[in-house]
Amino acid sequence: MTLVATTVPRSPEDLSVDTRARRQLVANKARSERAFLGLTRGSALVVLAVMALVGLFLLIRALPAIRVAKFSFLTTQAWEPDVHRFGIAGIMTDTILIALVAVVIAIPVSLGLSLYISEVAPASIKRTLVSLVDLMAAVPSVVYGLWALEFLQGRTVGVSRWIATWFGWFPLFHVDGADPGNPVQSGTLYSASTFIVGIAVSLMVIPILCSVMRESFSQAPLGEREGAYALGATRWGMIRSVVLPFGKGGIIGGTMLGLGRALGETIVVILIISPVFTANLHILQSGGNSISGQIANLSPESSPFGTSALMAAGLSLFALTLIINFGASAVVARSRSGAVSDG
Amino acid sequence: MTLLDTPQTDAAGLGTGTAPAGTGNAPATQVRRKVRGVPRSTVRNLLGAALAGISVALLLTQVTALTGIFGVALVAYLVFVLVYGVLVSLADDAPVVKDAVMTVLMASMTVLALGALALVIGFTLARGWHSLIHLNTYTQDLSNAGPLAPLTVGGIGHAIIGTLWMIGIAVVLTVPLGLVAAVYLDMTRSRPSNAFRTVIEAMTALPSILAGLFIYALWILTLGFEKSGLAAALALSVMMLPYMIRASDLALRLVPGNLREASAALGAPSWRGELQVVIPTARSGLATAVILGVARGIGEASPVLLTSGYTPYINGNPLHGPMASLPFTALTLVRSGSPLLTERAFAAASFLLLLVIVLFVIARKIGGWGPGHLSDRGMRRVREASMRDAARYSRRLAARDGATLTTIPVAIPVANTGTPDDPNQETLR
């Protein structure tokens, strides 16, 4: 900001000085003012340091394992750290698969939900709906986990069996050993699968997607909405031509945020899934894993090297979620103004 | 504005004895079109389509291998949407059909999501109910209740005490630090503060298990402390901190800029403006941020998993020995596989759920007030303070100028001010 002193002299004394010169602005802050600023800056630095320490300590603890495994850490599909045969290729694939299933389920639901709340719902129930979606985010993950274990799992076996029977030719939906001709085949083949975990995790990420999308939809300018209506658009026509294009950043950013959250989900995974260490691409079939679920099995009895290997897995999850979240907040921030409100 | 329409174009076609379409030059009687509420034809279409969907799905269960309530519901729903589109297309053209079908899709996604939420909450509370009605569930621990003990023996008291300790320590650590950091974000608008905000936003989605792993690496492996309630509280703090800062930052940003400018214009240094104008104005938003942060921290099991071992005993000392929390207890008990312990897991989960819902309702109640909203009592307090200020100014003026120049001739009753019918209030506002 450049402040140029006014050219109009205010008093006769001012005539002697060059009025075009740039005025020096030195804020002479009081000691209390400086102390307060220092205090706030200090606490921000403390927070920042804690956040940096998370990455740093994971890295320090992971180094012994990474030094041994080197590049094979990214390509090995096994987890036997004590014989130095371990890598995240298998469990990272399964982690991403769970997150993708969750997000694929969550995208249409949260699109419909957020569009309904921001465009369709009568004003009288809008606030209630927003509160309920927020409550959905506040429900503890262990509650979702218990529900998925005791309620959802038994009831999805029929759906899994049906999809595997009719769409088993598609590699993702294939189930090894599925025998459609055998009506009394046990359902265990279809339980403890990536699909079931994905459904439960989708319930946790729906509120995240929904709130980001809703915020971006509500910022679609009124003039263009009215313009669409004036040209004869139906409500859906207006949504498609105005709201969705304006909310594109929110849709992408919200989806990425949800993906980041889904990647780190632990409780549902360890409650439902029967762990495997290779990549199981058959999402309906029993068996899967996630890095967070793997870390949760860490016990004090495991060898220092095994612990270090888990730290390395944690570090890779940390890096992945951080990249996704930074990307997401960049996308969302570009579609949102950070201006202060003026009353 | 009145919307008038000739009856023959009315989709419902329920003209009340008016001239039929195309009868020469006779002026058609115009009836007012209903623009509010749901048209009867829409209701009829929806009902018919729903009926068709249910029947087709039930039929399919007989002739194909469709099993399970979810599969039946899915097929019924798909048929319903299809039939509804066809029914609307009988009376209207393509854009209206699209609009109707998309509206139904949006509404049904809402029903689906909220129905799932209701199912989760209802199922958990129903399963936990048997335990929650026994008083011993809250007062006893599981030390003398084996896997086969009835629900009238033992409880989740150890988990409740553990949760209180952990969340209490976490609140003491995170609330001051988080609020001051949020104030930093609010006061300085510079490149470092923007970078800080970006880091905080990215860290809000830090997987909670990594917070636990970090404390495990730092506190337990490196510094050599034992697993304890304190370590779990530290892990919860690392997880809650970014969340709280972000929510507080959003609350502070809602404070109107002209309030800050007004305080600066009155000559207040920025810290006074922050402490006496901005923070009190955003008080409800900040309280909501803290409560929602607590609600999030209280339900996390994964940071506790690595940092505090499970114990069935009540442990009142967060510095020493393993300590259980509510979500961690629910997780441990359900993983044991015993049916009776699963019941107890549901007791812990539903008690936790009720806690979270109570916190959430409180947060909504406070958060419903906009920035600067005051309760009746708060309003009275502000009025009284304002009265005292006015009295002080007039006293000071009187003392400075002596008895000769009393410029503010306001008679201020020092005691007993602020009653709603006090006439002096009007002069001071």
Side-chain angles (χ1 to χ4, degrees):
Chain A
M1 188 170 72
T2 53
L3 275 177
V4 176
T6 155
T7 49
V8 180
R10 281 162 297 170
S11 62
E13 287 85 1
D14 278 351
L15 286 170
S16 56
V17 296
D18 179 12
T19 51
R20 297 293 299 178
R22 180 176 290 187
R23 191 197 285 167
Q24 285 285 324
L25 284 177
V26 180
N28 191 10
K29 286 175 181 162
R31 194 177 295 155
S32 62
E33 176 103 27
R34 270 184 310 216
F36 187 70
L37 265 175
L39 175 75
T40 59
R41 194 171 293 144
S43 68
L45 279 178
V46 168
V47 173
L48 211 56
V50 169
M51 298 304 150
L53 278 182
V54 175
L56 191 68
F57 262 85
L58 290 182
L59 183 67
I60 291 173
R61 286 281 155 187
L63 272 181
I66 295 178
R67 259 198 214 108
V68 168
K70 295 204 175 66
F71 191 67
S72 75
F73 182 68
L74 296 176
T75 55
T76 311
Q77 290 194 19
W79 200 264
E80 294 156 23
D82 293 329
V83 293
H84 291 190
R85 211 171 73 82
F86 63 98
I88 53 166
I91 52 176
M92 182 61 101
T93 315
D94 291 337
T95 308
I96 293 174
L97 215 51
I98 289 176
L100 283 182
V101 171
V103 166
V104 164
I105 296 172
I107 286 176
V109 177
S110 18
L111 257 182
L113 181 59
S114 49
L115 280 177
Y116 185 82
I117 293 177
S118 75
E119 307 298 324
V120 182
S124 53
I125 62 166
K126 206 175 259 190
R127 229 180 100 80
T128 316
L129 287 178
V130 172
S131 293
L132 284 175
V133 172
D134 289 348
L135 177 64
M136 210 170 164
V139 169
S141 54
V142 70
V143 172
Y144 283 115
L146 256 64
W147 175 78
L149 183 69
E150 295 281 312
F151 180 89
L152 187 67
Q153 179 152 258
R155 285 165 179 81
T156 38
V157 167
V159 183
S160 298
R161 193 200 303 268
W162 190 76
I163 299 177
T165 307
W166 296 99
F167 300 99
W169 45 268
F170 188 65
L172 218 51
F173 298 141
H174 182 76
V175 174
D176 290 329
D179 183 8
N182 180 3
V184 291
Q185 192 179 34
S186 150
T188 51
L189 202 57
Y190 303 99
S191 60
S193 68
T194 302
F195 179 57
I196 297 170
V197 176
I199 295 175
V201 175
S202 77
L203 288 184
M204 301 181 203
V205 299
I206 281 172
I208 298 174
L209 269 74
C210 178
S211 61
V212 178
M213 288 181 188
R214 193 171 48 79
E215 195 189 327
S216 70
F217 291 157
S218 63
Q219 281 169 356
L222 195 61
E224 313 221 358
R225 287 165 187 266
E226 287 172 348
Y229 280 134
L231 290 171
T234 57
R235 180 164 53 203
W236 170 248
M238 186 279 289
I239 290 174
R240 221 192 52 188
S241 55
V242 177
V243 176
L244 289 181
F246 269 98
K248 208 166 61 188
I251 297 175
I252 298 171
T255 306
M256 286 170 76
L257 275 181
L259 191 69
R261 172 82 167 77
L263 284 171
E265 179 46 41
T266 314
I267 304 298
V268 180
V269 175
I270 60 177
L271 277 180
I272 301 281
I273 226 156
S274 53
V276 295
F277 301 106
T278 53
N280 178 8
L281 292 177
H282 305 152
I283 58 169
L284 298 173
Q285 190 177 325
S286 176
N289 211 336
S290 82
I291 291 182
S292 51
Q294 185 64 27
I295 296 169
N297 291 327
L298 171 77
S299 66
E301 287 82 44
S302 53
S303 66
F305 190 76
T307 308
S308 171
L310 282 178
M311 294 282 175
L315 185 69
S316 57
L317 178 65
F318 180 74
L320 184 66
T321 47
L322 220 54
I323 290 170
I324 289 179
N325 292 336
F326 270 125
S329 37
V331 172
V332 176
R334 223 172 30 176
S335 64
R336 178 207 295 162
S337 75
V340 293
S341 64
D342 275 299
Chain B
M1 188 176 76
T2 53
L3 282 170
L4 293 173
D5 207 355
T6 50
Q8 68 261 26
T9 54
D10 193 346
L14 294 173
T16 48
T18 51
T23 47
N25 295 333
T29 332
Q30 291 189 317
V31 292
R32 200 190 187 106
R33 188 201 276 173
K34 272 185 15 187
V35 291
R36 304 177 67 92
V38 183
R40 202 174 293 169
S41 59
T42 306
V43 177
R44 276 200 300 262
N45 285 345
L46 282 173
L47 278 180
L51 215 61
I54 294 170
S55 341
V56 169
L58 289 181
L59 193 68
L60 275 184
T61 55
Q62 304 299 313
V63 297
T64 67
L66 182 65
T67 52
I69 181 88
F70 288 141
V72 175
L74 186 69
V75 171
Y77 175 70
L78 290 178
V79 176
F80 159 73
V81 172
L82 207 71
V83 172
Y84 180 67
V86 172
L87 285 180
V88 175
S89 74
L90 292 179
D92 286 299
D93 49 0
V96 180
V97 175
K98 259 191 226 161
D99 180 55
V101 170
M102 292 318 289
T103 305
V104 161
L105 284 180
M106 288 188 268
S108 47
M109 288 306 158
T110 309
V111 171
L112 178 67
L114 300 183
L117 175 68
L119 202 60
V120 170
I121 293 178
F123 179 77
T124 308
L125 292 184
R127 286 287 298 267
W129 183 249
H130 311 296
S131 316
L132 288 186
I133 50 175
H134 297 301
L135 193 64
N136 57 291
T137 301
Y138 310 102
T139 54
Q140 298 180 5
D141 61 13
L142 280 176
S143 54
N144 53 3
L148 292 177
L151 291 178
T152 49
V153 176
I156 51 169
H158 58 304
I160 296 174
I161 287 178
T163 287
L164 288 180
W165 266 116
M166 287 178 198
I167 210 72
I169 296 173
V171 163
V172 167
L173 289 177
T174 52
V175 169
L177 198 57
L179 282 187
V180 178
V183 167
Y184 166 74
L185 279 178
D186 184 58
M187 281 177 70
T188 41
R189 293 177 201 288
S190 57
R191 200 163 294 205
S193 80
N194 282 338
F196 181 59
R197 181 176 287 133
T198 314
V199 170
I200 289 298
E201 293 217 340
M203 291 306 268
T204 44
L206 173 80
S208 53
I209 185 98
L210 290 184
L213 194 64
F214 162 60
I215 293 298
Y216 185 77
L218 171 71
W219 190 255
I220 294 169
L221 289 184
T222 306
L223 298 179
F225 292 99
E226 62 178 322
K227 283 189 172 186
S228 65
L230 180 64
L234 289 176
L236 286 180
S237 307
V238 171
M239 193 212 88
M240 283 161 61
L241 202 50
Y243 187 77
M244 239 172 220
I245 295 175
R246 207 177 80 114
S248 317
D249 178 38
L250 289 180
L252 289 177
R253 266 201 273 177
L254 284 179
V255 175
N258 49 15
L259 278 185
R260 291 167 222 275
E261 286 157 15
S263 94
L266 286 172
S270 64
W271 62 272
R272 273 202 95 118
E274 203 69 31
L275 287 184
Q276 298 197 326
V277 175
V278 177
I279 291 179
T281 309
R283 197 190 289 147
S284 68
L286 293 176
T288 310
V290 169
I291 295 172
L292 289 183
V294 169
R296 168 153 298 205
I298 217 171
E300 277 294 348
S302 33
V304 185
L305 193 70
L306 299 174
T307 48
S308 164
Y310 177 74
T311 171
Y313 294 91
I314 286 182
N315 177 6
N317 181 2
L319 299 176
H320 181 71
M323 192 182 237
S325 76
L326 279 169
F328 185 36
T329 303
L331 180 72
T332 312
L333 292 181
V334 79
R335 285 181 98 186
S336 72
S338 142
L340 272 168
L341 287 183
T342 305
E343 290 304 308
R344 294 184 193 277
F346 270 100
S350 35
F351 186 69
L352 174 67
L353 187 58
L354 289 177
L355 266 181
V356 169
I357 291 176
V358 166
L359 284 174
F360 188 79
V361 169
I362 294 174
R364 280 294 118 164
K365 191 104 182 103
I366 303 174
W369 304 337
H373 178 99
L374 289 173
S375 63
D376 287 348
R377 232 173 71 207
M379 200 54 139
R380 202 160 64 228
R381 247 195 335 260
V382 171
R383 278 186 197 141
E384 278 165 14
S386 160
M387 295 283 220
R388 277 196 302 276
D389 283 345
R392 191 159 50 90
Y393 288 162
S394 62
R395 271 202 308 275
R396 191 178 288 175
L397 266 178
R400 197 179 65 191
D401 300 341
T404 52
L405 268 171
T406 309
T407 47
I408 305 184
V410 190
I412 307 285
V414 175
N416 249 342
T417 57
T419 47
D421 46 348
D422 191 340
N424 281 325
Q425 274 172 15
E426 295 311 308
T427 61
L428 287 168
R429 265 196 287 172

